[in-house]
């Protein structure tokens, strides 16, 4: 799979929208990448799983709840690699876990995330996994909006590896009537 194939699939799924949007961190943007449109599209999921698989080398996978759960599940199936889910906060019932699934101290884990803007949710997941004993030094995302996530994660000694960037997605879209 090439970046162009993934970009075309994201565009075909209408995942890139233009207008005025409020983002989860409180800022606004003239474009929005709707993760639910690409995460519910089997073709996009297949391409993302293949692309993530090509960047992995046997590490356990972790998905950030809720958005990255479909991504980590399909990548787990593609690579036959177990995964865990990092909750935003410990649940208040049952086991009260913040990390769901089997995780052993010292395990190398790669965090999968849908979209990185400021990197806060990815960093929160990294910190929760590290608190649980995991070794985490890399986050793989589908889209890096290029708004500070790479730098924020680097401050915590975590590499951000994106399948595509905002610049990739927005390139030539003006010519397509965006």
């Amino acid at each position: 799979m090439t970046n162009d194939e993934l970009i075309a699939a994201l565009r075909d799924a209408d995942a890139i929208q233009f207008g005025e949007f409020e983002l989860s961190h409180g800022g606004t943007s003239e474009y929005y990448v709707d993760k639910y449109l690409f995460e519910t599209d089997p073709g996009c999921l297949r391409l993302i799983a293949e692309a993530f698989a090509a960047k992995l080398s046997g590490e356990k996978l972790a998905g950030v709840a809720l958005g990255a759960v479909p991504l980590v599940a399909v990548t787990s199936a593609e690579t036959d690699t177990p995964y865990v889910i990092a909750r935003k906060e410990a649940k208040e019932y049952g086991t009260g876990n913040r990390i769901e699934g089997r995780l052993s101290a010292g395990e190398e884990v790669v965090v999968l995330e849908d979209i990185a803007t400021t990197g806060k949710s990815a960093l929160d997941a990294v910190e929760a996994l590290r608190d649980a004993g995991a070794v985490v030094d890399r986050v793989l995302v589908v889209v890096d909006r290029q708004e500070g996530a790479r730098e924020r994660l680097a401050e915590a000694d975590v590499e951000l590896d994106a399948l595509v960037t905002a610049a990739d997605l927005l390139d030539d879209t003006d010519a397509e009537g965006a």
Side-chain angles (χ1 to χ4, degrees):
M1 187 217 52
T2 66
N3 263 12
D4 290 342
E5 286 176 283
L6 181 55
I7 291 166
L10 294 174
R11 289 178 181 168
D12 288 347
D14 293 324
I16 301 103
Q17 301 172 14
F18 294 90
E20 187 171 327
F21 300 93
E22 186 173 333
L23 303 178
S24 63
H25 70 280
T28 59
S29 176
E30 295 178 358
Y31 74 97
Y32 183 71
V33 182
D34 190 333
K35 65 185 173 191
Y36 294 110
L37 289 178
F38 71 73
E39 289 185 9
T40 57
D41 181 290
C44 285
L45 279 175
R46 210 171 0 268
L47 289 173
I48 291 165
E50 291 169 7
F52 276 164
K55 293 178 173 280
L56 296 169
S57 55
E59 309 92 335
K60 178 165 265 182
L61 307 175
V64 180
L66 170 70
V69 172
L71 303 177
V72 74
V74 74
T75 303
S76 171
E78 175 76 17
T79 61
D80 200 29
T81 304
Y83 71 94
V84 296
I85 298 169
R87 293 177 170 274
K88 292 184 188 340
E89 54 190 47
K91 62 183 182 179
E92 296 182 18
Y93 57 91
T95 59
N97 291 337
R98 175 117 190 251
I99 305 299
E100 299 290 355
R102 298 185 195 284
L103 181 67
S104 300
E107 269 190 287
E108 290 185 28
V109 177
V110 173
V111 173
L112 303 185
E113 178 67 298
D114 42 34
I115 299 165
T117 303
T118 66
K120 182 179 180 337
S121 66
L123 185 56
D124 288 348
V126 167
E127 290 170 350
L129 288 158
R130 285 177 172 172
D131 288 348
V135 177
V136 186
D137 61 13
R138 191 160 60 117
V139 172
L140 294 178
V141 300
V142 178
V143 180
D144 176 6
R145 287 183 56 99
Q146 301 174 294
E147 295 184 26
R150 182 174 306 280
E151 295 77 11
R152 177 181 242 160
L153 289 165
E155 289 173 6
D157 295 320
V158 178
E159 173 192 2
L160 179 66
D161 189 357
L163 299 181
V164 297
T165 64
D168 296 331
L169 286 177
L170 300 175
D171 187 39
D172 294 327
T173 53
D174 291 340
E176 298 175 28

